[in-house]
Amino acid sequence: MGEAELFNRTLLEKGYAEVLTIEPNDLYAECFEAAESNARESGIGLWAEGEITGGPAAEQYDGAAPETTTEDVPPDTLPTENAPTEDPTQ
Protein backbone atom coordinates (compact mmCIF):
# COMPACT_ATOMS: atom_id res chain seq x y z
CA MET A 1 0.00 0.00 0.00
CA GLY A 2 1.03 3.57 -0.57
CA GLU A 3 1.85 6.17 2.01
CA ALA A 4 -1.01 8.07 3.67
CA GLU A 5 -1.57 11.51 2.19
CA LEU A 6 -2.95 14.65 3.76
CA PHE A 7 -5.05 16.20 1.02
CA ASN A 8 -4.90 19.58 2.77
CA ARG A 9 -1.10 19.50 2.56
CA THR A 10 -1.23 18.51 -1.11
CA LEU A 11 -3.42 21.54 -1.90
CA LEU A 12 -1.06 23.80 0.03
CA GLU A 13 2.04 22.36 -1.67
CA LYS A 14 0.55 23.02 -5.11
CA GLY A 15 -0.42 26.56 -4.15
CA TYR A 16 -4.17 25.92 -4.31
CA ALA A 17 -4.96 26.86 -0.69
CA GLU A 18 -4.08 29.10 2.25
CA VAL A 19 -3.60 27.90 5.81
CA LEU A 20 -6.36 28.59 8.31
CA THR A 21 -5.70 27.10 11.74
CA ILE A 22 -8.41 27.12 14.38
CA GLU A 23 -7.61 25.68 17.79
CA PRO A 24 -7.91 22.97 18.96
CA ASN A 25 -7.56 21.62 15.38
CA ASP A 26 -3.90 22.55 15.14
CA LEU A 27 -2.13 19.18 15.05
CA TYR A 28 -0.78 19.73 11.51
CA ALA A 29 -0.46 23.53 11.67
CA GLU A 30 3.33 23.61 11.34
CA CYS A 31 3.27 21.12 8.47
CA PHE A 32 0.59 23.10 6.64
CA GLU A 33 2.34 26.45 7.23
CA ALA A 34 5.59 25.02 5.83
CA ALA A 35 3.80 23.69 2.74
CA GLU A 36 2.17 27.08 2.10
CA SER A 37 5.44 28.89 2.67
CA ASN A 38 7.22 26.67 0.13
CA ALA A 39 4.49 27.27 -2.45
CA ARG A 40 4.69 31.03 -1.89
CA GLU A 41 8.47 31.01 -2.24
CA SER A 42 8.20 28.91 -5.40
CA GLY A 43 5.56 31.24 -6.84
CA ILE A 44 3.12 28.50 -7.76
CA GLY A 45 -0.69 28.33 -7.75
CA LEU A 46 -2.22 31.28 -5.96
CA TRP A 47 1.24 32.73 -5.46
CA ALA A 48 2.20 32.82 -9.15
CA GLU A 49 2.98 36.27 -10.47
CA GLY A 50 1.68 37.54 -13.76
CA GLU A 51 -0.77 35.48 -15.75
CA ILE A 52 -3.68 34.01 -13.85
CA THR A 53 -4.66 30.57 -15.03
CA GLY A 54 -8.17 29.24 -14.87
CA GLY A 55 -7.12 25.68 -14.14
CA PRO A 56 -8.65 22.56 -15.67
CA ALA A 57 -12.24 23.76 -15.28
CA ALA A 58 -11.56 26.72 -17.59
CA GLU A 59 -11.09 24.29 -20.47
CA GLN A 60 -14.73 23.21 -20.17
CA TYR A 61 -16.09 26.58 -21.23
CA ASP A 62 -15.65 28.71 -24.31
CA GLY A 63 -15.68 31.93 -22.29
CA ALA A 64 -19.32 32.79 -22.99
CA ALA A 65 -21.62 32.87 -20.01
CA PRO A 66 -24.49 30.39 -20.18
CA GLU A 67 -27.80 31.92 -21.16
CA THR A 68 -30.29 32.14 -18.31
CA THR A 69 -34.04 32.42 -18.58
CA THR A 70 -37.05 32.61 -16.29
CA GLU A 71 -39.45 31.05 -18.78
CA ASP A 72 -39.74 27.79 -16.85
CA VAL A 73 -40.13 29.43 -13.44
CA PRO A 74 -43.68 29.87 -12.10
CA PRO A 75 -44.55 33.61 -11.95
CA ASP A 76 -45.37 33.51 -8.23
CA THR A 77 -41.79 32.44 -7.42
CA LEU A 78 -40.01 35.21 -9.32
CA PRO A 79 -38.60 38.05 -7.21
CA THR A 80 -40.42 41.33 -7.61
CA GLU A 81 -39.01 44.74 -6.90
CA ASN A 82 -40.41 46.39 -3.78
CA ALA A 83 -42.78 43.50 -3.20
CA PRO A 84 -45.04 43.98 -0.17
CA THR A 85 -44.16 41.83 2.81
CA GLU A 86 -46.64 40.14 5.05
CA ASP A 87 -47.14 41.62 8.49
CA PRO A 88 -46.18 38.88 10.99
CA THR A 89 -48.28 40.52 13.72
CA GLN A 90 -51.59 39.85 11.94
Side-chain angles (χ1 to χ4, degrees), residues 62-67:
D62 61 5
E67 187 176 324

Side-chain angles (χ1 to χ4, degrees), residues 4-87:
E5 176 183 12
L6 291 172
F7 186 63
N8 302 24
R9 183 177 66 196
T10 300
L11 291 175
L12 290 161
E13 289 172 340
K14 295 179 184 259
Y16 294 136
E18 291 183 72
V19 174
L20 172 62
T21 303
I22 301 174
E23 292 183 5
N25 302 318
D26 57 0
L27 180 63
Y28 298 106
E30 289 181 20
C31 170
F32 292 161
E33 289 166 0
E36 179 185 330
S37 179
N38 290 338
R40 283 179 182 255
E41 290 171 9
S42 298
I44 59 174
L46 297 169
W47 320 119
E49 290 186 30
E51 185 178 328
I52 297 175
T53 60
E59 297 169 8
Q60 298 177 23
Y61 304 101
D62 61 5
E67 187 176 324
T68 58
T69 179
T70 57
E71 291 175 0
D72 298 326
V73 179
D76 59 333
T77 61
L78 293 173
T80 57
E81 195 172 318
N82 300 320
T85 58
E86 294 181 26
D87 185 356

